[in-house]
């Protein structure tokens, strides 16, 4: 036996290449996973200092006063010191994953893996894009040079990509992205001297490749390293009247350079995670990354389609952690439709991210736009925008046309920023839902364009809910209140009683109407619609189709118009323990729980006498869905007797129980 162990150890040692980048995971942070965080502890206070006041306020919208969790606790400095004393340089410190990244030789690997505080060491994957991933240059679209008709701004040749998503109409309402803080992750950004970008409000920028504060090209970068990111920035927030305009040109921006471009576009996953942690701590409201990957550098294992499940890649996990902290996250779906891969790429597979497909200027699916579903069956992409022949700026300050989901993504993210600018109180879960429900294909979502092409106007005029002084307030906007008889707007709703009630909506000025809703029973289904008279005395209804209505549920803040969205897995607002399946079972059964954050969790099975039979899970829960399979054995590996059992989830002070039946 000793010979076998020595042989295996020797084989592992010689098979690890020198100068390879690794993630070194630690067993703890100096505080036990099971310990609940005290707000008076030094751990809590240090974690809070890492967050801007804006980040804290954004988190409070979704997490309340419990806005610090285990993932926020700093990594134990003693562990880092012990590694550095061995002459190893730490590249990134990643508190969300309780890990650091570093380049190791095989000898260093073998030494570190034996340290008592090291949980595991894994190779960091260097993701490599497919060829032609961003610059699929197209011909000039017909009519793209026409002047913008009767709008406040002159969109020049960017008119079509904006008008396809109804952006000019919302700009004319005075909504241009003000108050929204956007984080971009890309190859670099040459913005300071670029005409449509030099006037943008950039709050912070950082290069995670060269580890400095310069995101434009510098010594060590290849020619036009920053080209792709510059174009992306112009598509979401550029402004040069008469030439090109991005949807959210009055937003604030933080720029993260995460990719190294030698001859092809590459990104190491730790750079992406480090950038997401940085952006979230700054307080961004939304992140957008025009990156999508399925293959790795030579000699590394590529992701398979089975890995497109939202819970495998580091980048997908990082986006969902950011979402759990209140950030709206975007990424491009990928350009693989005509390749052997075909499907969306990571991190588009993440549970809560809004992945963006591409359409042509006339609304047809682009020939390159990756399709879904994820390997676990979720519809992807969620939404779409124009990505064929988009008009964007280059690093020289000139303009050209380019294609790719890399370019549809920032347009869709910019459109979403307009919604967030109009209603700063919205939670990220509401923003995600509204963008999908207001898109062009919401009644029949598919794996080509998801819920459809985004519409800034439909999103801003979609009804929304908020809590205020113990009341639930419903808000509804109209594009042209001056064409309405303001006193006639009514809300019609029907709850479980089946009796329709009518409430007058109150005009708040501008384009907004509100009213307080009565109290509803939790989870009670309520359908509703609006009626009013036009200034010409004509009766109007919204939705216009009398067979359609909006729907909401008591105790929830989301509003839907299509049943499909109810089946989608998004960040839960609470901890949920799902009934096992199959039940009864005689082979194995699936137990699923959903977590709203990264906290220590235990799932255990008990007999009817309350005696523990099996510990199924003990560790940090992933945000979203956590799956566990049980084969009907106890902690000793012995088969249990037929009968009823109770399985229990314990997480962050919450205990949830359900029954199951095991039959031999």
């Amino acid at each position: 036996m000793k010979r076998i162990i020595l042989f295996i150890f020797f084989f592992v040692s010689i098979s690890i290449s020198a100068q390879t980048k690794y993630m070194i995971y630690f067993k703890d942070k100096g505080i036990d996973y099971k310990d609940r965080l005290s707000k008076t502890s030094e751990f809590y206070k240090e974690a809070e200092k890492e967050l801007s006041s804006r980040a804290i306020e954004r988190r409070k919208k979704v997490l309340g006063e419990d806005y610090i969790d285990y993932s926020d606790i700093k990594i134990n400095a003693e562990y880092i010191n012990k590694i550095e004393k061995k002459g190893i340089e730490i590249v990134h410190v990643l508190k969300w994953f309780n890990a650091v990244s570093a380049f190791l030789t095989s000898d260093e690997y073998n030494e570190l893996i034996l340290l008592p505080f090291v949980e595991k060491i894994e190779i960091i994957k260097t993701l490599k894009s497919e060829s032609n991933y961003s610059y699929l240059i197209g011909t000039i679209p017909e009519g793209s040079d026409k002047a913008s008709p009767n709008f406040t701004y002159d969109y020049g040749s960017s008119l079509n990509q904006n008008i396809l998503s109804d952006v000019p109409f919302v700009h004319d309402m005075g909504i241009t992205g003000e108050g929204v803080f956007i984080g971009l992750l890309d190859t670099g950004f040459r913005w300071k001297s670029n005409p449509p970008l030099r006037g943008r409000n950039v709050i912070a920028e950082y290069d995670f490749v060269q580890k400095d504060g310069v995101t434009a090209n510098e010594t060590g970068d290849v020619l036009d390293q920053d080209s792709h990111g510059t174009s992306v920035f112009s598509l979401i927030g550029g402004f040069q009247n008469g030439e090109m305009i991005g949807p959210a040109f009055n937003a604030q921006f933080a720029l993260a350079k995460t990719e190294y471009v030698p001859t092809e576009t590459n990104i190491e996953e730790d750079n992406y995670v480090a950038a997401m942690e940085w952006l979230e701590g700054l307080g961004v409201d939304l992140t957008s990354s025009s990156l999508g990957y399925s293959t790795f550098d030579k000699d590394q294992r590529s992701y398979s389609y089975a890995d497109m499940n939202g819970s495998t890649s580091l980048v997908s996990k990082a986006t969902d952690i950011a979402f759990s902290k209140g950030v709206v996250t975007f990424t491009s779906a990928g350009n693989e439709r005509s390749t052997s891969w075909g499907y969306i790429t990571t991190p588009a597979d993440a549970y809560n991210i809004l992945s963006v497909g591409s359409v042509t200027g006339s609304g047809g699916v682009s020939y390159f736009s990756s399709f879904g579903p994820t390997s676990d069956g979720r519809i992807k992409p969620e939404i779409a925008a124009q990505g064929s022949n988009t008009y964007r700026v280059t690093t020289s300050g000139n303009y050209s046309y380019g294609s790719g989901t890399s370019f549809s993504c920032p347009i869709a993210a910019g459109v979403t920023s307009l919604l967030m600018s109009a209603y700063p109180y919205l939670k990220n879960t509401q923003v995600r839902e509204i963008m999908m429900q207001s898109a062009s294909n919401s009644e029949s979502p598919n794996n080509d364009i998801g819920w459809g092409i985004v519409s800034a106007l439909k999103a801003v005029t979609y009804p929304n809910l908020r809590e205020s002084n113990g009341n639930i307030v419903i808000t509804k906007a109209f594009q042209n209140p001056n064409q309405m008889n303001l006193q006639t707007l009514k809300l019609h709703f029907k709850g479980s009683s089946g009796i329709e009630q009518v409430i007058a909506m109150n005009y708040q000025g501008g384009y907004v109407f509100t009213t307080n809703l009565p109290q509803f029973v939790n989870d009670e289904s309520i359908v509703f619609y609006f009626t009013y008279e036009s200034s010409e005395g004509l009766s109007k209804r919204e939705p216009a189709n009398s067979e359609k209505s909006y729907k909401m549920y008591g105790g929830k803040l989301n509003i839907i118009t299509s049943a499909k969205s109810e089946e989608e897995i998004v960040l839960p607002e609470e901890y949920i323990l799902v009934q096992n399946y199959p039940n009864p079972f005689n082979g194995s059964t699936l137990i699923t729980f959903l977590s709203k954050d990264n906290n220590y969790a235990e799932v255990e099975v008990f007999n009817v006498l309350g005696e523990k039979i099996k510990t199924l899970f003990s560790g940090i829960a992933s945000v979203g869905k956590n799956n566990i399979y049980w084969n009907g054995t106890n902690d000793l590996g012995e088969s249990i007797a037929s009968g009823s059992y109770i399985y229990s989830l314990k997480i962050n002070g919450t205990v949830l129980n359900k029954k199951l039946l095991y039959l031999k």
Side-chain angles (χ1 to χ4, degrees):
M1 179 62 71
K2 289 183 179 179
R3 290 181 180 177
I4 294 174
I5 292 173
L6 287 171
F7 173 77
I8 293 173
F9 182 78
F10 176 73
F11 177 80
V12 171
S13 298
I14 63 174
S15 65
I16 298 172
S17 60
Q19 300 301 312
T20 302
K21 200 176 190 183
Y22 292 91
M23 283 275 278
I24 305 164
Y25 294 87
F26 302 122
K27 292 181 178 178
D28 57 58
K29 291 185 174 182
I31 178 175
D32 194 274
Y33 287 126
K34 300 181 182 181
D35 292 340
R36 295 197 67 188
L37 289 174
S38 167
K39 293 184 179 181
T40 60
S41 71
E42 289 304 314
F43 293 105
Y44 188 98
K45 292 177 181 178
E46 286 185 0
E48 193 172 43
K49 288 178 183 177
E50 296 288 310
L51 302 174
S52 69
S53 58
R54 181 164 187 151
I56 291 173
E57 291 307 309
R58 186 206 60 236
R59 287 187 178 201
K60 283 183 176 180
K61 283 198 293 186
V62 296
L63 299 172
E65 293 301 319
D66 295 324
Y67 54 84
I68 299 288
D69 64 27
Y70 190 86
S71 67
D72 298 309
I73 302 302
K74 295 176 70 173
I75 291 177
N76 192 326
E78 183 180 347
Y79 299 163
I80 295 175
N81 290 337
K82 287 183 177 180
I83 291 176
E84 289 179 330
K85 284 181 179 179
K86 296 180 181 295
I88 296 169
E89 182 179 354
I90 302 297
V91 179
H92 291 302
V93 177
L94 306 172
K95 62 184 177 183
W96 286 357
F97 292 91
N98 195 21
V100 297
S101 59
F103 287 94
L104 304 177
T105 65
S106 59
D107 288 341
E108 289 169 335
Y109 174 96
N110 291 328
E111 184 177 4
L112 292 186
I113 197 65
L114 297 176
L115 293 175
F117 54 84
V118 172
E119 176 73 23
K120 60 183 177 179
I121 302 176
E122 294 181 345
I123 291 177
I124 289 177
K125 299 171 179 64
T126 302
L127 301 124
K128 184 168 63 177
S129 72
E130 302 293 339
S131 59
N132 300 325
Y133 100 107
S134 61
Y135 294 116
L136 303 166
I137 304 300
T139 57
I140 298 176
E142 183 179 351
S144 62
D145 57 346
K146 292 181 180 178
S148 302
N150 302 318
F151 293 128
T152 302
Y153 304 105
D154 183 353
Y155 296 83
S157 294
S158 69
L159 175 62
N160 196 82
Q161 64 209 45
N162 279 287
I163 208 166
L164 187 67
S165 289
D166 298 327
V167 170
F169 303 106
V170 175
H171 283 174
D172 283 358
M173 295 168 71
I175 305 169
T176 56
E178 188 173 359
V180 180
F181 191 8
I182 298 170
L184 300 178
L185 301 87
D186 219 289
T187 63
F189 309 90
R190 199 177 306 184
W191 64 276
K192 291 184 177 180
S193 60
N194 206 311
L197 298 176
R198 61 191 174 202
R200 299 311 93 214
N201 190 3
V202 176
I203 302 299
E205 57 182 322
Y206 191 77
D207 181 346
F208 286 86
V209 179
Q210 300 207 43
K211 303 185 79 171
D212 59 34
V214 180
T215 59
N217 263 31
E218 57 182 321
T219 302
D221 289 331
V222 297
L223 182 66
D224 269 358
Q225 156 87 34
D226 52 6
S227 179
H228 184 265
T230 300
S231 293
V232 164
F233 191 3
S234 71
L235 286 164
I236 191 172
F239 185 89
Q240 188 174 11
N241 202 44
E243 190 66 66
M244 85 158 293
I245 295 176
F249 61 85
N250 267 335
Q252 297 174 318
F253 297 91
L255 310 177
K257 176 181 170 184
T258 55
E259 292 187 78
Y260 173 55
V261 185
T263 55
E264 298 178 82
T265 303
N266 295 266
I267 177 172
E268 292 169 322
E269 287 194 285
D270 62 325
N271 289 346
Y272 189 99
V273 175
M276 288 296 288
E277 287 192 10
W278 176 69
L279 291 169
E280 191 278 326
L282 285 176
V284 299
D285 303 302
L286 177 151
T287 62
S288 179
S289 61
S290 289
L291 316 168
Y293 303 92
S294 58
T295 62
F296 300 132
D297 273 349
K298 185 179 179 181
D299 299 327
Q300 291 197 37
R301 180 188 66 83
S302 294
Y303 282 135
S304 67
Y305 174 61
D307 295 322
M308 299 296 107
N309 57 13
S311 57
T312 297
S313 78
L314 276 178
V315 290
S316 289
K317 292 177 183 178
T319 62
D320 272 339
I321 292 174
F323 189 88
S324 75
K325 300 177 188 301
V327 181
V328 180
T329 56
F330 274 80
T331 197
S332 53
N335 298 327
E336 315 303 324
R337 175 176 289 269
S338 59
T339 72
S340 59
W341 176 270
Y343 293 102
I344 52 102
T345 52
T346 196
D349 62 311
Y351 289 113
N352 298 295
I353 206 165
L354 282 165
S355 58
V356 185
S358 172
V359 296
T360 65
S362 58
V365 179
S366 299
Y367 74 90
F368 51 80
S369 185
S370 291
F371 50 79
T374 59
S375 61
D376 58 337
R378 289 172 288 120
I379 292 175
K380 289 284 181 173
E382 280 82 5
I383 51 179
Q386 183 174 335
S388 293
N389 294 312
T390 58
Y391 193 67
R392 41 87 186 193
V393 79
T394 66
T395 51
S396 66
N398 296 320
Y399 293 89
S400 68
Y401 292 91
S403 299
T405 58
S406 296
F407 295 157
S408 61
C409 180
I411 292 174
V415 168
T416 304
S417 299
L418 299 181
L419 170 67
M420 299 170 75
S421 179
Y423 309 109
Y425 53 80
L426 290 176
K427 298 181 179 183
N428 60 338
T429 50
Q430 292 177 279
V431 171
R432 184 180 189 274
E433 190 72 36
I434 290 172
M435 292 311 301
M436 294 161 65
Q437 292 295 325
S438 62
S440 64
N441 196 43
S442 62
E443 293 186 16
S444 55
N446 59 41
N447 285 304
D448 290 317
I449 59 171
W451 278 253
I453 301 169
V454 292
S455 166
L457 182 60
K458 290 180 180 178
V460 167
T461 58
Y462 196 87
N464 64 73
L465 302 172
R466 74 179 189 275
E467 297 178 62
S468 177
N469 299 320
N471 296 312
I472 299 296
V473 180
I474 187 167
T475 297
K476 178 72 175 76
F478 289 85
Q479 181 185 5
N480 297 304
N482 60 327
Q483 298 176 12
M484 302 169 59
N485 182 337
L486 302 180
Q487 308 305 316
T488 63
L489 181 61
K490 300 291 191 299
L491 167 68
H492 303 250
F493 65 93
K494 187 186 300 183
S496 57
S497 68
I499 301 173
E500 182 171 286
Q501 300 181 58
V502 181
I503 302 177
M505 297 287 290
N506 303 309
Y507 183 51
Q508 302 298 327
Y511 46 83
V512 174
F513 297 78
T514 67
T515 194
N516 290 345
L517 293 174
Q519 294 293 322
F520 296 111
V521 176
N522 281 353
D523 297 322
E524 178 182 1
S525 176
I526 303 104
V527 294
F528 66 97
Y529 60 94
F530 301 91
T531 61
Y532 64 94
E533 289 184 5
S534 70
S535 54
E536 290 84 15
L538 299 176
S539 296
K540 300 287 185 178
R541 183 187 191 276
E542 191 167 321
N545 188 334
S546 61
E547 296 182 358
K548 296 180 181 178
S549 296
Y550 298 107
K551 182 186 287 188
M552 57 184 168
Y553 294 90
K556 308 292 183 183
L557 293 179
N558 281 345
I559 294 173
I560 64 171
T561 52
S562 62
K564 195 72 177 179
S565 179
E566 297 176 69
E567 301 170 6
E568 287 296 295
I569 299 173
V570 296
L571 179 72
E573 296 179 1
E574 56 190 11
Y575 303 113
I576 299 171
L577 181 61
V578 179
Q579 185 63 53
N580 67 302
Y581 180 83
N583 186 45
F585 76 101
N586 62 3
S588 67
T589 189
L590 172 64
I591 294 174
T592 298
F593 71 91
L594 281 73
S595 177
K596 64 182 181 179
D597 51 26
N598 297 103
N599 262 303
Y600 179 82
E602 289 182 343
V603 177
E604 298 172 319
V605 180
F606 299 87
N607 63 22
V608 292
L609 299 177
E611 299 168 330
K612 191 182 79 168
I613 301 298
K614 179 84 169 183
T615 298
L616 298 176
F617 179 86
S618 177
I620 299 298
S622 297
V623 175
K625 185 168 64 173
N626 295 259
N627 289 332
I628 308 161
Y629 289 91
W630 183 41
N631 62 358
T633 60
N634 61 20
D635 280 330
L636 299 177
E638 302 166 338
S639 180
I640 62 172
S642 296
S644 295
Y645 293 85
I646 297 169
Y647 60 101
S648 175
L649 167 66
K650 300 175 184 176
I651 181 169
N652 197 26
T654 298
V655 179
L656 301 172
N657 299 307
K658 285 190 178 294
K659 290 183 178 180
L660 58 78
L661 181 60
Y662 177 63
L663 299 175
K664 284 190 176 180

